[in-house]
């Protein structure tokens, strides 16, 4: 029987193991034949949405790994818009609205509200937070 998983990531791409562990968990869930409804990045987890990360050549580019996996497996990557704005994570719409010169979020990441998280929580069989 296939289960639907919602994943919540509260840790940044670098500095803690949370986002990396979440990524590896999602890979394992998919390999087991289950479904990822989406990944919601919350609190410092929104830092994963920035495409401006430049990790060292011997480190994983976690942002790109998330993008590649989500595109390949067709699940959404949501970043909390309130937490993102406080941390300087802006998509093109928010950058324009706030008068900033540029954005640092692009698809498949998208800025979403907590309503999107609530919807994922209501439809998931399992919710796992990192």
């Amino acid at each position: 029987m296939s289960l639907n998983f919602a994943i919540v990531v509260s840790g940044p791409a670098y500095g803690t193991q949370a986002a990396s562990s979440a990524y590896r968990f999602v890979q394992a869930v998919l390999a087991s034949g289950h479904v990822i409804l989406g990944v919601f990045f919350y609190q410092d987890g929104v830092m994963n949405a920035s495409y401006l990360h430049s990790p060292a050549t011997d480190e994983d580019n976690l942002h790109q790994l998330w993008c590649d996996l989500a595109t390949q497996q067709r699940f959404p990557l949501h970043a909390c818009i309130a937490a993102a704005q406080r941390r300087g994570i802006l998509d093109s719409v928010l950058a324009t609205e706030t008068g900033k010169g540029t954005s640092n979020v692009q698809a498949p990441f998208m800025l979403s509200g907590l309503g999107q998280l609530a919807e994922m929580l209501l439809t998931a069989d399992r919710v796992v937070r990192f």
Side-chain angles (χ1 to χ4, degrees):
M1 180 173 104
S2 176
L3 296 174
N4 294 322
F5 283 78
I7 308 299
V8 180
V9 180
S10 297
Y14 303 99
T16 72
Q17 197 63 32
S20 179
S21 294
Y23 176 78
R24 306 263 185 258
F25 180 80
V26 167
Q27 286 182 307
V29 165
L30 292 168
S32 297
H34 301 295
V35 175
I36 299 295
L37 294 176
V39 180
F40 193 88
F41 296 88
Y42 189 56
Q43 297 169 325
D44 284 342
V46 299
M47 300 302 288
N48 288 275
S50 175
Y51 65 79
L52 295 178
H53 290 287
S54 276
T57 57
D58 63 341
E59 294 178 0
D60 289 333
N61 184 336
L62 199 50
H63 170 82
Q64 192 60 53
L65 290 173
W66 278 118
C67 290
D68 293 345
L69 186 61
T71 300
Q72 178 187 28
Q73 297 294 323
R74 296 189 173 130
F75 61 82
L77 299 174
H78 298 281
C80 175
I81 190 167
Q85 190 171 1
R86 287 184 193 100
R87 291 165 176 83
I89 306 297
L90 309 171
D91 63 7
S92 59
V93 173
L94 194 54
T96 300
E97 288 175 358
T98 58
K100 304 297 181 191
T102 188
S103 65
N104 56 350
V105 175
Q106 61 188 12
F109 278 93
M110 65 189 95
L111 299 184
S112 304
L114 289 177
Q116 185 61 51
L117 175 60
E119 183 179 322
M120 285 173 41
L121 298 179
L122 288 172
T123 57
D125 297 311
R126 301 285 187 271
V127 178
V128 182
R129 181 173 183 236
F130 293 88

